[in-house]
Amino acid sequence: MKNLRYVLLLLLFQGLVGPFGQAQTSINGFISNWDHGEAVIGYYDIFSIEMYPLGTINIDGSFSFNLEKDPISRLVQKENGAQDFPEGWKMKYNTLENYFTGTGNIMELTNPQTLIITLPDLYFQGTKNKSLSGVLLPVSSQGVADYLATWGEGDLKPKDYYLSWIFTNDTAIVNGRFSISSFTGNEDEEIEITTFTDLKFEQGWNLLKTEFSEIFTTSNGEAHPLKVHLTIIDPVPRDAQWFVILD
């Protein structure tokens, strides 16, 4: 990917109400210094391998799109109508119980069989200039954008974070922690990443904040998260930014 980036201003979402709150329904934003004309925002469909459109970046850099009301039902319909997969092939749908897992689990879950699906990475493609394309990353800093875009090469700092959207088909709670082991890419160096969860899911789309509270730096200067905190939030943090990274 090229090093050309545009900072997007992140607009606020609807406020939460009630004991679990109101699920997210839309994403709105504005790209400062956008000069590439119109572009389509979407994600790549796992069945067609083509972009599933969600909305449009306007000439002035503004964009807005609604989140699907029930993406799980759409996937089930797609699966049932698929003709190009081996006989007996079935998709595996994540539940809260198998999604939040690892070694040394200390977890408290309500409705553990609640189905969960994440909004895929958001891409864009020029409406007229088809060669214009890239990815949108909602993060706290350029270091996080670099980390996500390069599978680990980024200047991470404590309290850095990224945002994502998770759909659940029921209300649920996930509290606790779990750990996974990961190689740093520096010879055979291995670290243990511990994730702490404090999540109250509303049925529908939820805004998830993934914050890196402790960072490990390898001898060759690469940064990796050691402790990660997951929370459902609203509103969007004031210092949140979207970085557009061009292909």
Side-chain angles (χ1 to χ4, degrees):
M1 293 181 176
K2 297 179 181 178
N3 290 327
L4 182 59
R5 295 169 173 87
Y6 295 86
V7 179
L8 288 82
L9 303 180
L10 197 64
L11 303 188
L12 299 184
F13 295 81
Q14 294 179 341
L16 300 185
V17 295
F20 275 89
Q22 180 177 338
Q24 303 290 310
T25 59
S26 64
I27 297 177
N28 309 275
F30 179 79
I31 310 171
S32 61
N33 300 322
W34 175 262
D35 60 359
H36 294 293
E38 289 189 349
V40 176
I41 301 175
Y43 58 82
Y44 284 96
D45 184 83
I46 63 173
F47 292 96
S48 67
I49 318 299
E50 296 179 354
M51 182 182 286
Y52 180 84
L54 293 172
T56 300
I57 300 175
N58 300 311
I59 294 176
D60 65 354
S62 62
F63 69 92
S64 177
F65 61 86
N66 293 325
L67 293 166
E68 289 184 82
K69 291 184 178 180
D70 191 351
I72 293 177
S73 293
R74 183 179 66 84
L75 284 178
V76 170
Q77 292 174 0
K78 284 271 191 178
E79 177 187 1
N80 292 338
Q83 302 295 324
D84 299 328
F85 295 100
E87 184 177 353
W89 180 89
K90 290 288 185 183
M91 284 187 61
K92 180 181 178 180
Y93 295 92
N94 278 317
T95 64
L96 289 177
E97 190 172 40
N98 63 35
Y99 188 84
F100 294 99
T101 188
T103 59
N105 282 14
I106 302 177
M107 303 291 289
E108 176 189 353
L109 289 82
T110 62
N111 296 336
Q113 294 306 307
T114 296
L115 295 179
I116 182 173
I117 185 171
T118 59
L119 182 68
D121 290 338
L122 294 174
Y123 288 85
F124 67 91
Q125 183 178 54
T127 303
K128 294 182 178 179
N129 180 9
K130 300 296 184 181
S131 63
L132 172 71
S133 61
V135 65
L136 312 180
L137 298 173
V139 297
S140 60
S141 70
Q142 182 174 317
V144 184
D146 292 339
Y147 177 80
L148 296 176
T150 60
W151 296 91
E153 297 179 12
D155 185 21
L156 291 182
K157 304 293 185 185
K159 297 188 177 181
D160 269 340
Y161 64 86
Y162 66 90
L163 304 176
S164 55
W165 289 262
I166 289 186
F167 180 92
T168 58
N169 68 346
D170 201 353
T171 56
I173 295 175
V174 181
N175 284 329
R177 70 175 187 267
F178 62 90
S179 300
I180 59 172
S181 296
S182 176
F183 288 99
T184 66
N186 182 29
E187 297 182 348
D188 60 351
E189 187 175 55
E190 188 176 7
I191 58 175
E192 185 175 79
I193 304 170
T194 301
T195 300
F196 301 85
T197 65
D198 181 15
L199 306 172
K200 293 183 178 181
F201 288 102
E202 168 64 14
Q203 182 179 1
W205 289 102
N206 301 266
L207 179 58
L208 179 70
K209 180 182 180 182
T210 300
E211 181 174 329
F212 307 125
S213 60
E214 186 175 331
I215 304 298
F216 174 80
T217 303
T218 66
S219 58
N220 58 3
E222 293 186 354
H224 298 270
L226 274 184
K227 293 184 179 179
V228 181
H229 289 260
L230 306 182
T231 52
I232 301 296
I233 64 168
D234 183 272
V236 171
R238 291 186 177 183
D239 61 347
Q241 305 172 70
W242 288 72
F243 282 84
V244 174
I245 300 180
L246 298 180
D247 291 333

